[in-house]
Amino acid sequence: MEAAGKVTSIFVYPIKSCRGISVSQAPLTPTGFRWDRQWMVINNKGRAYTQRNEPKLALVQIELPNEAFLEGWEPTGSSYMVIRAPGMQALKIPMSKPRDTVDGVSVWEWSGSALDEGAEASNWFTNYLGKSSRLVRYNAESETRPVDPEYAAGQITMFSDGYPFMLLSQGSLDALNKLLKEPVPINRFRPNILVDGCEPFSEDTWTEVRINKFTFQGVKLCSRCKIPAINQDTGVAGPEPNETLKQIRSDKVLRPGRKQQGKIYFGQNMVCKDNLTEGNGKVLKLGDPVFVLKKVTSAAEAAA
């Protein structure tokens, strides 16, 4: 069987809606890549802040210890996540588990309790955003956040919008950029896995792929909000690429026979079908080949 492409970038986004980290390998867990969307910033009602309402989050940079992406690594007392943003002192968050919890934390339809990263982090984000904020960490020991069972029953995630993984191809980005006056970088779309070597938009049709020795299910086309229109270097929104995506990637164009929801699609949401709780070797690496095991004939047949 010939590979459809290979993994050329792996991105992990430790704090929801803040900048991602490009890594050479990432351990797989039942909720997605390790550390991915494990933290988020919330308002005084416990609701998640995202770039949709706080585009300044785009400028918040995260640094984790390099060894955090090695298999089996556990934080010690001297392991920190370092957070930086324009005009702010660096904030160091210990990676060992905080003791305090905060209840009534919500992201979309899910609510539960989370671990509270404390007063210093709260003050930092409150000052940066100019409104009451707290930094919280997902508490996997007490909480379970299922993905939409209509698409992937039994799968779970942390603070991502909907699913543990999002895959996109370089071909799709290149095809879009050919139509734009000013090309956009991959960070507009916040994928976890970038694949090169396949035709543009071929990932639309992938319902089952194998990467390394792991089987991923393509559960639905990724519908896009306004975040791709926010410049990740400035935090300023513009019309593109969303205007162009409306012309070429709307449900009207891709799924003319289906119920229209006025959505635009770019990338494929995925879950891993393997048992990722126990054992070694559960890591994706740059250069891993991608084999397509099952696919549909077009985006019109894909779930969305």
Side-chain angles (χ1 to χ4, degrees):
M1 183 189 234
E2 201 179 325
K6 65 176 184 180
V7 175
T8 50
S9 293
I10 295 171
F11 299 102
V12 174
Y13 306 86
I15 304 180
K16 183 178 181 64
S17 250
C18 297
R19 278 196 189 166
I21 302 175
S22 178
V23 294
S24 59
Q25 66 168 55
L28 295 162
T29 79
T31 55
F33 285 134
R34 190 173 188 193
W35 312 116
D36 191 59
R37 276 84 166 201
Q38 194 162 341
W39 288 265
M40 69 177 175
V41 187
I42 57 170
N43 67 14
N44 53 12
K45 296 199 170 85
R47 285 208 68 78
Y49 282 128
T50 76
Q51 287 185 36
R52 294 170 188 85
N53 47 24
E54 295 298 332
K56 280 178 78 175
L57 288 172
L59 308 181
V60 176
Q61 287 180 302
I62 317 298
E63 194 182 296
L64 294 184
N66 291 333
E67 58 273 20
F69 296 97
L70 298 177
E71 203 187 345
W73 179 80
E74 289 304 327
T76 66
S78 57
S79 309
Y80 292 91
M81 172 168 69
V82 182
I83 305 172
R84 294 184 173 88
M88 302 291 292
Q89 295 281 332
L91 172 68
K92 288 174 81 172
I93 299 291
M95 290 182 74
S96 46
K97 286 254 167 77
R99 283 186 296 277
D100 296 334
T101 58
V102 52
D103 293 323
V105 166
S106 59
V107 52
W108 300 114
E109 70 308 318
W110 177 87
S111 68
S113 77
L115 299 162
D116 187 350
E117 292 290 5
E120 192 187 353
S122 171
N123 292 339
W124 193 96
F125 278 101
T126 298
N127 290 337
Y128 179 65
L129 295 175
K131 49 188 78 169
S132 176
S133 308
R134 296 201 83 76
L135 180 66
V136 297
R137 188 191 307 208
Y138 188 81
N139 188 357
E141 279 151 28
S142 72
E143 305 300 313
T144 305
R145 183 171 169 233
V147 307
D148 186 336
E150 194 184 322
Y151 289 100
Q155 293 281 343
I156 57 173
T157 189
M158 289 203 271
F159 292 141
S160 67
D161 270 356
Y163 297 90
F165 300 96
M166 206 276 280
L167 179 145
L168 194 58
S169 76
Q170 185 67 45
S172 302
L173 180 66
D174 293 346
L176 171 64
N177 277 334
K178 282 197 182 106
L179 303 174
L180 297 175
K181 284 197 188 77
E182 290 183 23
V184 295
I186 191 64
N187 65 11
R188 294 288 189 101
F189 300 101
R190 305 174 71 77
N192 296 109
I193 302 168
L194 184 67
V195 173
D196 199 6
C198 58
E199 292 294 309
F201 309 113
S202 52
E203 67 270 26
D204 290 350
T205 63
W206 298 350
T207 52
E208 195 170 288
V209 298
R210 192 171 75 237
I211 308 176
N212 191 331
K213 54 181 187 266
F214 306 100
T215 306
F216 290 82
Q217 178 189 347
V219 289
K220 68 189 286 287
L221 300 179
C222 184
S223 64
R224 310 312 302 221
C225 60
K226 74 180 192 187
I227 290 179
I230 298 171
N231 182 320
Q232 298 295 296
D233 295 325
T234 63
V236 176
E240 292 289 9
N242 292 26
E243 287 302 313
T244 298
L245 287 172
K246 275 182 196 152
Q247 309 301 316
I248 62 164
R249 299 288 301 169
S250 68
D251 41 12
K252 194 189 285 181
V253 173
L254 296 180
R255 308 164 62 73
R258 301 290 192 100
K259 184 178 159 213
Q260 299 300 300
Q261 300 171 291
K263 290 184 172 173
I264 53 176
Y265 300 101
F266 202 66
Q268 173 84 261
N269 289 308
M270 296 207 156
V271 297
C272 186
K273 295 176 74 171
D274 300 299
N275 174 8
L276 297 172
T277 44
E278 298 299 324
N280 298 329
K282 311 263 168 89
V283 176
L284 283 200
K285 298 183 175 176
L286 296 186
D288 280 348
V290 179
F291 296 95
V292 178
L293 307 181
K294 291 181 189 167
K295 62 181 191 174
V296 292
T297 53
S298 71
E301 285 180 41

